[in-house]
Amino acid sequence: MASEIILQVAIPAPLPHSFDYLPPKPFSVEDLKPGQRVMVMFGRQRKCGLIVGLQSHSHIDSQRLRRVLKVIDREPVMDGTQLELLQWASGYYQHPIGEVISSALPKRLRDGHDASLRGQQRWRLTTEGYATLPNELSRAPRQSAIFAWLKQHQQGCDAAQLNMEFNNWRRAMDTLVSKGLVSIHETTCLPVHSSSPTTSPALNQHQQIAVDAICSRLRQYSSFVLQGVTGSGKTEVYLQVIEQVLTQNRQALVLVPEIGLTPQLVQRFQQRFAVPLAVLHSGMTDSDRHCAWNMARSGDAPIIIGTRSAVFTPMARPGLIVVDEEHDVSFKQQDGFRYHARDLAVYRAHQHNIPIVLGSATPCLETLHNIEQRRYQALQLPERAGTSRAPSLQVIDMRHQRMCEGIAEGLIQIIKQHLDADGQVLLFLNRRGYAPTLLCHECGWTASCKRCDGHLTYHAAINRLRCHHCGAEQPKPAQCPECSSEQLLAVGEGTERIESMLRENFKDVPIVRIDRDTTRRKGSLEAQLDAIQRGEHRILIGTQMLSKGHHFPGVTLVGILNVDQGLFSTDFRAMERMAQMIIQVSGRAGRADKPGSVVLQTHQPEHPWLNLLLTGGYAALCKALLAERRAAGLPPYSHLGLLRAESPSKDTPMRFLQQAATLLRPQLEQGTQLWGPIPAPMEKRAGRYRAQLLLASARRAQLKKLLDIVRPQLGELSDARKARWSLDIDPVDLY
Ligand code: ADP
Ligand code: ZN
Ligand code: ZN
């Protein structure tokens, strides 16, 4: 007897390989293809998996193999190119293929729903239906009633309308369809697009050079870095390149940071192009997401715009990928399958042989290094589009200033000047709440979280203490729990405190605070941003939510209240991040014809990095930071893999990592180092102790080879089941 075909099925489970199953019975081999989803029994659970391969034999005895319960799809939901991408990503990020595939599918497909959802169905009479006389259906009263009703509704009806009018209409409707009297149409779930697109503005010289450079290579892989400050016209460049891509009947995928996918941006695309736009983000319903995914896959949506996970959206005719604000950390998935959407996007561009454009005012050091190595081509937009001018930067030395709740006297004066001149003022502080610490004046007790190695933040509006690491919350004590003193001091400043100080000092000035506490309700951030646009608020105080992507044309002054936070962090990327933040926040000022100023408050005006940034700009600072990274053997001059472990019991994570280190050490080749294990910078968080082990290698292939060998053995270690552990390739945060 010829041996049966074996299906290799990827199933979301923390095991690195796929699983062998037999086909269902009866089933012909021609109907089985990689990329189809199947229902299987996995242990005692029913799970939805995906066929990744067909084989003629299994290393498992076929007597012991189970049969697939059901093949869900007639046609694959993923093509070979997509499977190849995910298999590559699974290997690169050392993450189980089943989980990788699962995170690349919309939830409804992951859950095993029918793949063919495409918006809503509508039923409509066919030409034949209109030619039919009602009495021909008189022996089937329900069909006849539906028929008569559809005749009155020439636009057709959807299920909701039919449900209101008829009971049990579906069977009768199916009969009408099979008789050819009624046809089913599908409406799209995509937002209505403009029927009269706006015309594109004439490009300035630099924009034109950029558009020409990209468009001259539309049918081949190349990586471009479009470097320009906010307002320099990057989005306009994307739009005009996409215009070219559409004329070639190809699709464009645009990835934006989480906070960058605003209704304004979507609108700008909608107004420019008279084509359906598939928008993908985490806030949408499962069926809208599924629909957008399908429209992208079929090619019905020529433009796809989405956040991180949209990098997996399949395209029928890929033509271009854009990653806007490529330096943004939200492109890195921080749990589960820890991929970087920008890096996967570059891989995809390679795969499809199409160009990719990475846009940013502040490209990350990895990207700048790629430019240096001539892997990426830089395109500069040195000027601001339109008439606006670049802002001036100024430092205020806090050491010699009278401070008013975190704002120097000198800055208060500057704020007054700008308000008097009718400008808007934006103040930026990356710390929400009223005060980051509550301190007993008598005995020195500080309020700290029981579950974390951190202080509780005082929130005055609700008079409570909150942990910003685990969310724990409690009322503010009236007395010190140690010495019963009532002299409890709120030490340091958060946005809430700055806001109340400003309200005292600027009595008649409308002030708005924007941070996670004031924007919890859905839609409230949009509403507040709109009010700012309309000029309803004169002083804006906020956290980094305010630092990204938004247009604030009326803002003439930006104050960064505490630059020092970034200068002394243990994270080797802290200075890079700080510089990006300063440049990005500065980009909020002086967008229209009013010139902008930026004021930085610091206790370290002589700090060399800060000075380099102020005198030489972002490029000069990055050059120095790169030299430092090279000397220290840090990325981009080395490649990192971080093994993290955590557990409610204190010693388990370190013990597990010691065991892992013992496995790794004999395999280390020259050029690869092992650092640790060490407890995480914040060892205890949300009641769990955390530790980490860092691998660094000058050669990526070496690191991968090592992990290919060791990773499967990690799960076998004696403490592997006691600790929760994960492997992070190219970690962006080392905690
Ligand atoms: P960025 O994406 O770099 O922030 P945008 O493309 O959003 O820049 O451009 C900033 C502003 O300038 C927008 O209001 C845009 O409409 C306008 N703009 C961009 N390019 C031009 C141009 N060539 N002519 C006129 N206005 C432009
Ligand atoms: Zn006390
Ligand atoms: Zn906590």
Side-chain angles (χ1 to χ4, degrees), residues 641-676:
L642 187 65
L643 185 60
R644 294 187 179 89
E646 57 173 61
S647 157
S649 79
K650 188 166 182 346
D651 301 327
T652 310
M654 283 297 277
R655 220 171 38 232
F656 167 75
L657 293 177
Q658 297 285 10
Q659 293 163 3
T662 310
L663 268 184
L664 285 157
R665 229 170 253 123
Q667 309 277 353
L668 288 185
E669 289 177 76
Q670 178 120 38
T672 301
Q673 280 121 37
L674 193 61
W675 288 325

Side-chain angles (χ1 to χ4, degrees), residues 201-204 207 229-236 268 385 551 591:
L203 297 173
N204 69 32
Q207 286 175 317
V229 297
T230 323
S232 61
K234 293 186 296 297
T235 310
E236 190 55 47
R268 200 161 156 197
H551 286 228
R591 299 211 37 154

Side-chain angles (χ1 to χ4, degrees), residues 449 452 467 470:
C449 181
C452 305
C467 176
C470 72

Side-chain angles (χ1 to χ4, degrees), residues 425-586:
V425 172
L426 190 162
L427 300 174
F428 178 84
L429 179 64
N430 211 0
R431 195 149 62 194
R432 66 198 166 88
Y434 187 84
T437 319
L438 192 69
L439 171 80
C440 172
H441 184 59
E442 308 255 324
C443 78
W445 168 88
T446 53
S448 52
C449 181
K450 288 190 181 62
R451 307 172 65 220
C452 305
D453 293 332
H455 286 133
L456 294 170
T457 299
Y458 176 49
H459 289 254
I462 48 172
N463 201 32
R464 291 174 80 83
L465 300 173
R466 249 189 208 154
C467 176
H468 287 186
H469 306 289
C470 72
E473 208 182 293
Q474 64 191 69
K476 181 193 168 205
Q479 298 176 325
C480 172
E482 296 283 318
C483 75
S484 304
S485 159
E486 286 174 12
Q487 290 199 55
L488 295 179
L489 308 176
V491 182
E493 295 85 24
T495 47
E496 194 187 344
R497 185 172 208 158
I498 304 284
E499 180 195 8
S500 66
M501 182 279 288
L502 290 168
R503 287 194 192 282
E504 292 274 304
N505 279 271
F506 297 92
K507 283 241 153 47
D508 309 318
V509 180
I511 296 171
V512 66
R513 168 163 64 95
I514 295 201
D515 56 29
R516 263 206 285 153
D517 296 322
T518 63
T519 54
R520 241 171 255 281
R521 233 171 354 100
K522 201 173 171 222
S524 63
L525 177 62
E526 282 75 36
Q528 292 183 27
L529 292 174
D530 282 348
I532 295 171
Q533 300 279 334
R534 290 194 299 270
E536 281 171 29
H537 303 292
R538 302 293 307 287
I539 301 181
L540 336 170
I541 159 89
T543 56
Q544 75 190 10
M545 281 184 127
L546 271 179
S547 74
K548 296 181 184 172
H550 307 291
H551 286 228
F552 297 132
V555 169
T556 57
L557 172 66
V558 172
I560 302 177
L561 300 185
N562 189 355
V563 174
D564 299 349
Q565 278 175 28
L567 300 179
F568 300 102
S569 166
T570 52
D571 182 350
F572 74 90
R573 288 188 221 266
M575 193 56 223
E576 178 188 0
R577 296 266 166 71
M578 176 52 81
Q580 288 167 343
M581 189 276 279
I582 291 174
I583 304 290
Q584 296 286 337
V585 179
S586 308

Side-chain angles (χ1 to χ4, degrees), residues 98-350:
E99 291 186 357
V100 169
I101 288 178
S102 169
S103 49
L105 286 171
K107 182 169 185 306
R108 286 176 49 88
L109 292 185
R110 217 183 298 156
D111 292 348
H113 287 280
D114 193 1
S116 72
L117 166 111
R118 293 185 53 172
Q120 276 184 329
Q121 291 188 320
R122 295 180 80 81
W123 287 265
R124 206 154 57 190
L125 287 193
T126 58
T127 336
E128 207 188 329
Y130 279 108
T132 305
L133 297 171
N135 61 10
E136 289 177 38
L137 293 167
S138 58
R139 276 190 294 152
R142 180 153 289 138
Q143 286 178 42
S144 165
I146 294 173
F147 179 83
W149 206 67
L150 285 180
K151 209 161 192 172
Q152 286 164 20
H153 294 81
Q154 300 196 357
Q155 297 299 309
C157 300
D158 62 20
Q161 286 169 297
L162 288 159
N163 281 335
M164 292 223 282
E165 205 64 28
F166 304 100
N167 295 322
N168 304 326
W169 52 271
R170 284 197 186 261
R171 265 194 55 194
M173 186 69 90
D174 286 347
T175 316
L176 289 170
V177 171
S178 66
K179 285 180 181 166
L181 304 180
V182 171
S183 59
I184 303 175
H185 296 258
E186 275 153 357
T187 55
T188 137
C189 57
L190 303 180
V192 265
H193 43 91
S194 162
S195 51
S196 54
T198 53
T199 51
S200 356
L203 297 173
N204 69 32
Q205 179 202 345
H206 300 287
Q207 286 175 317
Q208 191 65 56
I209 291 172
V211 169
D212 291 346
I214 302 163
C215 287
S216 70
R217 293 204 230 137
L218 276 192
R219 293 198 170 236
Q220 54 189 291
Y221 166 78
S222 22
S223 279
F224 297 96
V225 180
L226 183 61
Q227 207 177 344
V229 297
T230 323
S232 61
K234 293 186 296 297
T235 310
E236 190 55 47
V237 170
Y238 309 150
L239 291 169
Q240 300 211 14
V241 174
I242 291 172
E243 223 170 275
Q244 297 294 315
V245 171
L246 298 192
T247 62
Q248 298 192 347
N249 195 27
R250 303 265 206 128
Q251 291 170 284
L253 170 65
V254 181
L255 300 178
V256 297
E258 248 146 46
I259 207 152
L261 190 51
T262 57
Q264 290 93 316
L265 182 77
V266 173
Q267 231 170 37
R268 200 161 156 197
F269 275 78
Q270 277 173 342
Q271 282 163 357
R272 186 62 66 83
F273 301 107
V275 300
L277 187 67
V279 180
L280 288 141
H281 57 87
S282 52
M284 62 204 296
T285 66
D286 292 341
S287 56
D288 280 353
R289 182 173 251 284
H290 181 181
C291 176
W293 194 84
N294 277 4
M295 300 294 275
R297 191 164 84 99
S298 65
D300 288 347
I303 303 175
I304 301 111
I305 173 165
T307 48
R308 182 176 59 230
S309 67
V311 72
F312 299 113
T313 316
M315 288 184 275
R317 303 178 306 278
L320 174 77
I321 303 179
V322 172
V323 182
D324 190 30
E325 308 290 355
E326 66 90 32
H327 65 279
D328 196 279
V329 290
S330 78
F331 286 121
K332 170 83 176 179
Q333 169 82 28
Q334 300 277 24
D335 54 22
F337 169 34
R338 295 173 153 85
Y339 62 94
H340 200 300
R342 176 199 56 222
D343 298 343
L344 285 181
V346 172
Y347 186 87
R348 273 194 86 175
H350 254 296

